[in-house]
Amino acid sequence: MIESLNKAFCALPGVGNKTAQRFVYHLLERNREGGMSLAKALVDVMEHVKHCTSCRTLSEKTLCHICASEVRDASQLCVVETPTNIHAIEQSGVYKGKYFVLSGYLSPIDGIGASELGLDELEQKLTNQNIKEIILATNATVEGEVTAHYIASMAKQFDIQITRIAHGIPIGGELEYTDINTIAHALLGRKKYD
Amino acid sequence: MIESLNKAFCALPGVGNKTAQRFVYHLLERNREGGMSLAKALVDVMEHVKHCTSCRTLSEKTLCHICASEVRDASQLCVVETPTNIHAIEQSGVYKGKYFVLSGYLSPIDGIGASELGLDELEQKLTNQNIKEIILATNATVEGEVTAHYIASMAKQFDIQITRIAHGIPIGGELEYTDINTIAHALLGRKKYD
Ligand SMILES: [Zn+2]
Ligand SMILES: [Zn+2]
């Protein structure tokens, strides 16, 4: 039984057997209530958190709070790889537009092509909505650049500005691990995609 | 809701907000089933794992499998600070006796005195059972040494050998993070406590 819990913890990223063991013993010896709360929170979230039908981020409601907001500028659309990236950008405090979340990055080898990534939906958005600028905020990795390039090519058919988040972000780094000042800088210094 | 799960994960030792966030998104985006399994395993373990009535380690049964075993040498009693330490010693493969698990180490400041530690039970064991050797395998920390010293003083009233696990284990280190060869060495090289 303890072994099953150990294994279940190992499903978490970066958690090996030793760490899992520490988690289990800590909860059992010092915080059983914490263990039960964690179980309850897990069930709640796994069962109720879906994807926003508009931007595809994780959300308990059909529309996330950013998509539902009337004060956010709907003419700007910032494209990111993951919901955590939205969180990082929001913390920088300099962006007031909307978002679109890809399912990661283009990776034909793993079977993730344009439609798996959500680019069909993105194209529809650009067709139907009054978007004036698309900000490509995929990661500064090779995959992120390739993905940004692909989206830029697709977006060229529309009369909108295509910008790329500035490379204040260290090359090879990921948004998720960048401090918010650098993110703010990178957003404010964004340049036209060419 | 996601925030509650974040917080619940932060109850785990060494898990901060950033790590918790990675856990949550990983489960939501890639392994919801894993999240549900973790929840179920948590409830199972928190509800059903108690303490062995004989050695006080964590166990689903009244008697743990080591206490219940008839092939283990009941004349040897190895005293450790935590259930994980039993696991570490078992992995070294050189010990065939029984165990007694303290509730950590003596720490009068935190209100952990002899009886909170389980020393009353230990004394009863030494009184009632036919134990020939008590092996003090508390950690090689200041607290572990003080605890070992205290138990040795108490055990002197009985006609038993009192030994201390050898200091092959780095001073200041904890059993839990020691490789099994060092643990084997330390056990085999144990010396009479004086
Ligand atoms: Zn949304
Ligand atoms: Zn036992």
Side-chain angles (χ1 to χ4, degrees):
Chain A
M1 191 179 279
I2 289 186
E3 262 319 300
S4 317
L5 181 54
N6 253 329
K7 255 195 202 151
F9 269 125
C10 288
L12 298 172
V15 174
N17 196 44
K18 208 116 203 192
T19 306
Q21 214 179 62
R22 274 177 57 220
F23 288 172
V24 173
Y25 284 107
H26 177 86
L27 292 177
L28 275 171
E29 296 289 25
R30 306 213 195 127
N31 196 359
R32 284 177 188 243
E33 216 171 288
M36 293 301 280
S37 303
L38 176 55
K40 196 189 161 304
L42 275 166
V43 172
D44 278 357
V45 167
M46 296 305 129
E47 283 183 348
H48 299 298
V49 175
K50 312 286 177 202
H51 291 93
C52 170
T53 53
S54 175
C55 74
R56 306 177 16 131
T57 195
L58 293 165
S59 170
E60 294 155 50
K61 303 195 178 146
T62 316
L63 273 188
C64 74
H65 72 282
I66 294 177
C67 288
S69 162
E70 292 182 2
V71 298
R72 307 283 305 213
D73 184 352
S75 74
Q76 284 187 311
L77 191 69
C78 180
V79 180
V80 294
E81 292 183 20
T82 66
T84 22
N85 290 341
I86 292 185
H87 188 74
I89 292 177
E90 287 297 293
Q91 283 199 295
S92 81
V94 300
Y95 183 64
K96 300 299 173 199
K98 306 260 180 174
Y99 291 96
F100 186 82
V101 182
L102 305 171
S103 307
Y105 47 79
L106 276 179
S107 180
I109 291 174
D110 305 317
I112 300 178
S115 67
E116 284 76 19
L117 211 57
L119 296 191
D120 297 350
E121 277 177 64
L122 180 59
E123 197 165 354
Q124 272 189 345
K125 242 185 199 312
L126 298 181
T127 309
N128 302 328
Q129 295 174 13
N130 190 23
I131 291 164
K132 292 184 180 136
E133 178 182 6
I134 180 171
I135 303 171
L136 305 172
T138 50
N139 285 326
T141 55
V142 174
E143 297 86 355
E145 291 295 349
V146 169
T147 305
H149 187 77
Y150 189 95
I151 297 173
S153 308
M154 179 273 277
K156 266 179 194 155
Q157 60 182 301
F158 303 99
D159 180 27
I160 55 176
Q161 221 184 355
I162 305 169
T163 57
R164 175 88 172 106
I165 192 170
H167 285 85
I169 294 158
I171 299 299
E174 301 190 0
L175 269 188
E176 204 165 333
Y177 303 108
T178 307
D179 67 277
I180 58 174
N181 282 332
T182 310
I183 293 179
H185 250 89
L187 263 170
L188 295 172
R190 69 184 181 271
K191 56 184 181 37
K192 202 167 174 307
Y193 201 90
D194 51 17
Chain B
M1 193 178 276
I2 290 186
E3 264 318 303
S4 314
L5 181 53
N6 254 328
K7 258 196 202 153
F9 269 126
C10 289
L12 298 172
V15 175
N17 196 44
K18 208 115 202 192
T19 306
Q21 211 177 65
R22 274 178 56 220
F23 288 173
V24 173
Y25 284 107
H26 176 86
L27 293 176
L28 275 171
E29 296 289 26
R30 305 213 195 129
N31 195 0
R32 284 178 188 244
E33 217 171 288
M36 293 301 279
S37 304
L38 177 54
K40 195 188 160 306
L42 274 166
V43 171
D44 278 356
V45 167
M46 296 304 131
E47 283 184 346
H48 299 298
V49 176
K50 311 285 178 202
H51 291 93
C52 170
T53 52
S54 175
C55 75
R56 307 178 15 133
T57 195
L58 293 164
S59 170
E60 293 156 51
K61 302 191 180 153
T62 313
L63 272 189
C64 74
H65 72 281
I66 293 177
C67 287
S69 163
E70 292 183 2
V71 298
R72 305 285 303 215
D73 184 352
S75 73
Q76 283 187 312
L77 191 68
C78 180
V79 180
V80 295
E81 292 183 19
T82 66
T84 21
N85 290 340
I86 292 185
H87 188 73
I89 291 177
E90 286 298 293
Q91 283 198 296
S92 81
V94 299
Y95 182 64
K96 299 298 173 202
K98 306 261 179 173
Y99 290 96
F100 186 80
V101 181
L102 305 171
S103 307
Y105 48 79
L106 275 179
S107 181
I109 291 173
D110 305 317
I112 302 177
S115 67
E116 285 76 19
L117 211 57
L119 296 191
D120 297 349
E121 277 178 62
L122 180 58
E123 196 165 353
Q124 272 192 344
K125 244 186 197 314
L126 298 182
T127 308
N128 302 328
Q129 294 175 16
N130 189 20
I131 291 163
K132 291 186 183 134
E133 178 183 5
I134 180 170
I135 303 171
L136 305 172
T138 50
N139 285 325
T141 55
V142 173
E143 296 85 356
E145 291 295 348
V146 169
T147 306
H149 186 77
Y150 190 95
I151 297 174
S153 308
M154 180 273 279
K156 265 177 195 157
Q157 60 181 301
F158 303 99
D159 179 29
I160 56 177
Q161 221 184 355
I162 305 169
T163 58
R164 176 87 172 106
I165 192 170
H167 285 84
I169 294 159
I171 298 300
E174 302 191 358
L175 269 185
E176 204 164 333
Y177 303 107
T178 307
D179 67 276
I180 59 174
N181 283 332
T182 310
I183 292 179
H185 251 88
L187 264 169
L188 295 171
R190 69 184 181 272
K191 58 185 180 36
K192 202 165 175 302
Y193 201 91
D194 52 17

